[in-house]
Amino acid sequence: MNLGQWIRDVADFPKPGIGFKDLTPLLGNGAAFADSLTQLVRPFRDLQVSCVCAIEARGFIFGAAAAIALGSGFVPLRKPGKLPAQSIGTDYLLEYGSDRLEMHADAVSPGQRVLLVDDVLATGGTLEAATRLVSMAGAEIVGAALLIEIAALGGRARWRESAPLHSVIVFD
Ligand code: AMP
């Protein structure tokens, strides 16, 4: 299935100059959503993933489904101040300003095999921060799975892991 047809480009959202990749048409079609999941997890099926760590908020949709498909646990990586128990965090730079990702301190254990999941790879800063956070906890990263990669923004160059970075739909 050509999944790109289910992604809607919304110009100037959430601010002028941004071309937003809207996934809601894909999510709203059962066959497209199911196929996107099959393609998202395919390279990781035999890698004994113990835990999917997914990035708030749209990453949760695909991350939770991927965890079920892989028979693994699910860990949310959240925006600051959302997690109730003791947490660890890492700050990262955005085009304008900065942001922070947090994870419960006991969410992953050293040696666990983690798959990172998010919806879109743009400049790569968010995925880089997620990688740092999971590495801080001592877990092993077996790869990253993204539904969309916006190749022109160069995020892939910031992926320094030897594990695979897999994106289902690549836009120029
Ligand atoms: P980046 O850190 O630049 O790779 O941005 C990736 C994060 O921002 C992901 O969690 C996406 O949900 C979101 N994002 C960035 N750019 C877009 C875009 N053009 N369309 C939809 N989401 C985006």
Side-chain angles (χ1 to χ4, degrees):
M1 186 184 289
N2 169 21
L3 292 174
Q5 66 184 309
W6 296 101
I7 308 299
R8 175 165 53 198
D9 264 304
V10 181
D12 299 319
F13 183 87
K15 40 190 175 187
I18 305 282
F20 191 83
K21 300 293 183 196
D22 176 19
L23 290 151
T24 61
L26 180 142
L27 296 173
N29 181 279
F33 188 21
D35 191 53
S36 74
L37 236 297
T38 302
Q39 294 193 42
L40 189 74
V41 301
R42 185 173 287 140
F44 305 103
R45 282 208 174 275
D46 299 323
L47 295 187
Q48 289 83 42
V49 174
S50 39
C51 175
V52 167
C53 290
I55 300 166
E56 187 172 357
R58 290 179 298 278
F60 291 175
I61 300 167
F62 293 96
I68 292 169
L70 294 170
S72 77
F74 173 86
V75 169
L77 306 184
R78 299 212 63 181
K79 300 286 165 64
K82 303 278 182 119
L83 289 168
Q86 192 194 344
S87 301
I88 58 173
T90 185
D91 297 305
Y92 60 102
L93 290 177
L94 300 170
E95 199 177 351
Y96 301 102
S98 66
D99 212 338
R100 183 175 170 81
L101 273 183
E102 293 181 348
M103 176 175 78
H104 273 149
D106 61 357
V108 298
S109 319
Q112 270 197 321
R113 294 171 61 76
V114 167
L115 174 66
L116 299 167
V117 172
D118 201 3
D119 62 335
V120 173
L121 178 71
T123 67
T126 307
L127 183 62
E128 190 175 58
T131 305
R132 196 161 55 240
L133 193 53
V134 168
S135 299
M136 278 161 64
E140 184 187 343
I141 293 170
V142 299
L146 297 110
L147 196 73
I148 290 175
E149 175 176 352
I150 306 173
L153 296 178
R156 183 170 284 273
R158 292 169 77 170
W159 176 253
R160 302 276 158 71
E161 304 294 307
S162 53
L165 194 178
H166 167 62
S167 38
V168 173
I169 309 165
V170 180
F171 291 102
D172 294 335

